[in-house]
Amino acid sequence: MKNTKLLYIVGITLVATLGGLLFGYDTAVISGAEGALQTYFTDSLGLSSFIHGLTVSSALIGCIIGGFLSGTFSSKFGRKLTLIIAAFLFLASALGSAYPEFLFFTPGEPSIALLATFNFYRIIGGIGVGLASAVAPMYIGEIAPPNLRGRLVALNQFAIIFGMLVVYFVNWGIARGESLAWINELGWRYMFASETIPALLFLLLLFFVPETPRYLVSQQKDDKAMDILLKTYDMTMAKATLYEIKNSFDHKKEKLFAYGRGIIAIGILLSVFQQFVGINVALYYAPRIFESMGAGRDASLMQTIIMGLVNVIFTVIAIVTVDKVGRKPLLIIGSIGMTIGMFGVAGLAYFEQIGTATLVFIIIYTASFMMSWGPVVWVLLSEIFPNKIRGQALAIAVAFQWAANYFVSSTYPPMMEVSGAMTYGIYGLMSILSALFVWKFIPETKGKSLEELEIILKKSQAAKAATNQ
């Protein structure tokens, strides 16, 4: 592949991955602000830890909505316009979450209505996250050549983790040296407002990237699709790819389960296991976990940054290896590492030996996730579904993923009140089950075009139908 074509592909991929960066930024910004939100809203209003858990995870309600809408939006409006809509939602959420009193409330006077308004703005941002989380990897997967697809889609996970790392630094920089009273009154507002910068950048750059060839073919815009393919392939390969894409659409419209319920179930279970292993508990509540180890507020935020750096390094390992080692081996290796990490934390919690060893096991756990289940699930979801049902199927899988995320995140505070050892032990058990699921049900997809995978799937379904007769 010539350098100019490679630079073109990487360039538009990097723009799309800003959606992933905002995904990470928006979901992790709460980690630095959640303590202040508890003081400002929950404690001052005499509300329960369950309400605080719902507030911390309220954006996930929007993520579920955005996940469900992503299929309709990406199919009706296109991948590019859906990402533009997501960028607008990120911007509105950042401003509204930072200053929920706008127009209707008096600053500095918390109330139930103000808390509801804050959660509304967080849900708006969550819808943006839900849209971007489904459509950004879909966009990259439909643009990327087969030999680069795993690495380029994995870049989206790198962007998610990098967005989290950036906001960890931002939160730490805002809180560093400031009094707890200032953070509880104003600091958390600056944390949410900081998201306006990447949101504006994402919005502006999206106007300079193309629509995907596969969406253009679905809209009978073959000439425009060919123009894009010629920027990523030579003439012969571009024509062959266009033919494959057209052939995948040159049949009657197919229903969601035309390829069987199994492929939809695999997508859903991949998404659910990615959350049930407990990763977002480690990400959302990281500063509080480290505070429970005896670290001060500034130190806990710094330890979160260290964890973020580890996450970035191991996500890079996944990017480098996913097209060489393959999807399935990485997932199994990651599950084993997560099991060790979570059972280690559970054991220390049971014996109340919370200290540096806890940090080590949390890093083992998150590093294992970031080199496997973090990026590889998004790669698989972008490639296992056939062209004609990709939008619908991916939307369902992503919606289930966010629903599982919401369930795990909102139940964490009350579960921890019962038993920390039990809580982390459950996540360790889920890690074991995730390895068994991959070993038994997940096919290897590396190196194949999206259309080749579709043909393999059709043959598999035909074989199963013949067996059942």
Side-chain angles (χ1 to χ4, degrees):
M1 184 180 294
K2 292 182 179 180
N3 288 338
T4 54
K5 294 184 185 298
L6 180 60
L7 288 173
Y8 177 76
I9 294 167
V10 172
I12 58 180
T13 296
L14 290 176
V15 173
T17 58
L18 281 174
L21 185 144
L22 281 157
F23 167 174
Y25 202 107
D26 191 87
T27 54
V29 69
I30 199 74
S31 68
E34 66 95 10
L37 292 174
Q38 181 171 14
T39 300
Y40 191 80
F41 286 113
T42 312
D43 292 348
S44 66
L45 297 172
L47 302 174
S48 68
S49 62
F50 179 72
I51 297 298
H52 178 59
L54 292 177
T55 298
V56 170
S57 54
S58 61
L60 300 179
I61 297 173
C63 294
I64 298 169
I65 296 169
F68 272 119
L69 292 177
S70 64
T72 301
F73 277 41
S74 62
S75 298
K76 186 172 183 179
F77 305 123
R79 289 38 164 163
K80 176 179 174 177
L81 183 54
T82 301
L83 290 175
I84 290 173
I85 293 169
F88 273 113
L89 294 174
F90 284 128
L91 189 59
S93 175
L95 295 172
S97 299
Y99 191 61
E101 294 91 346
F102 182 65
L103 292 180
F104 302 109
F105 302 96
T106 303
E109 296 183 6
S111 64
I112 297 294
L114 181 62
L115 178 60
T117 302
F118 170 82
N119 284 324
F120 169 76
Y121 284 118
R122 289 292 292 154
I123 290 170
I124 290 294
I127 294 173
V129 171
L131 291 174
S133 65
V135 180
M138 183 195 304
Y139 178 93
I140 298 167
E142 292 187 348
I143 285 281
N147 64 315
L148 295 176
R149 190 175 61 243
R151 278 171 281 181
L152 293 180
V153 175
L155 273 177
N156 190 64
Q157 175 67 20
F158 176 84
I160 294 170
I161 299 308
F162 186 71
M164 291 179 174
L165 179 61
V166 168
V167 81
Y168 290 155
F169 272 108
V170 170
N171 287 348
W172 175 71
I174 290 170
R176 185 170 179 265
E178 299 290 349
S179 68
L180 190 60
W182 181 86
I183 295 170
N184 291 340
E185 183 65 30
L186 291 174
W188 63 271
R189 298 178 187 274
Y190 291 124
M191 293 176 185
F192 288 112
S194 65
E195 191 179 343
T196 58
I197 297 172
L200 275 172
L201 181 64
F202 183 44
L203 179 61
L204 293 173
L205 291 177
L206 279 171
F207 289 99
F208 298 96
V209 300
E211 183 53 85
T212 72
R214 286 166 176 84
Y215 176 76
L216 291 170
V217 169
S218 74
Q219 301 299 303
Q220 290 80 50
K221 297 179 180 179
D222 295 0
D223 291 342
K224 290 184 177 180
M226 188 63 178
D227 289 340
I228 304 303
L229 289 170
L230 286 171
K231 293 179 180 179
T232 56
Y233 299 105
D234 59 35
M235 177 63 78
T236 302
M237 191 64 184
K239 287 182 176 179
T241 302
L242 181 64
Y243 174 80
E244 280 189 345
I245 296 171
K246 287 182 66 177
N247 189 54
S248 72
F249 283 105
D250 281 346
H251 303 290
K252 65 180 182 179
K253 186 175 180 179
E254 291 178 344
K255 295 180 180 180
L256 179 63
F257 296 110
Y259 299 87
R261 298 177 186 275
I263 192 64
I264 306 299
I266 286 174
I268 290 171
L269 288 171
L270 275 171
S271 295
V272 169
F273 271 120
Q274 191 196 49
Q275 301 306 313
F276 273 21
V277 295
I279 184 60
N280 283 304
V281 164
L283 298 177
Y284 296 160
Y285 293 96
R288 179 160 294 200
I289 291 171
F290 294 134
E291 279 186 63
S292 72
M293 292 162 49
R297 183 69 181 172
D298 285 356
S300 69
L301 287 172
M302 178 54 73
Q303 287 174 327
T304 304
I305 290 172
I306 293 171
M307 192 174 75
L309 288 170
V310 171
N311 293 348
V312 167
I313 292 168
F314 280 85
T315 301
V316 170
I317 291 173
I319 293 170
V320 172
T321 58
V322 67
D323 282 322
K324 296 177 181 178
V325 176
R327 287 54 159 156
K328 189 167 183 173
L330 281 181
L331 288 177
I332 293 174
I333 292 168
S335 292
I336 294 169
M338 289 188 298
T339 301
I340 294 169
M342 270 301 174
F343 278 129
V345 174
L348 290 169
Y350 180 78
F351 291 106
E352 298 183 352
Q353 298 295 315
I354 306 300
T356 305
T358 306
L359 175 61
V360 171
F361 278 117
I362 289 176
I363 288 176
I364 290 172
Y365 166 79
T366 56
S368 300
F369 180 90
M370 295 307 165
M371 64 164 286
S372 59
W373 281 82
V376 176
V377 166
W378 292 110
V379 173
L380 282 168
L381 291 178
S382 73
E383 58 190 12
I384 62 173
F385 301 122
N387 280 334
K388 285 194 284 187
I389 66 167
R390 183 171 298 123
Q392 292 173 282
L394 189 56
I396 291 171
V398 170
F400 269 91
Q401 182 176 125
W402 287 114
N405 188 330
Y406 180 76
F407 175 80
V408 172
S409 301
S410 61
T411 56
Y412 174 74
M415 283 173 65
M416 285 296 290
E417 290 182 357
V418 176
S419 169
M422 175 202 72
T423 302
Y424 297 121
I426 288 173
Y427 302 146
L429 177 61
M430 289 297 110
S431 299
I432 293 175
L433 293 176
S434 71
L436 295 174
F437 166 70
V438 172
W439 172 69
K440 184 69 175 176
F441 296 106
I442 300 301
E444 184 53 69
T445 59
K446 71 171 183 175
K448 299 179 177 67
S449 74
L450 298 180
E451 287 68 38
E452 285 177 316
L453 291 172
E454 184 172 332
I455 292 170
I456 291 169
L457 183 61
K458 285 180 177 178
K459 289 180 178 178
S460 174
Q461 282 302 118
K464 287 181 180 179
T467 302
N468 292 331
Q469 285 180 353

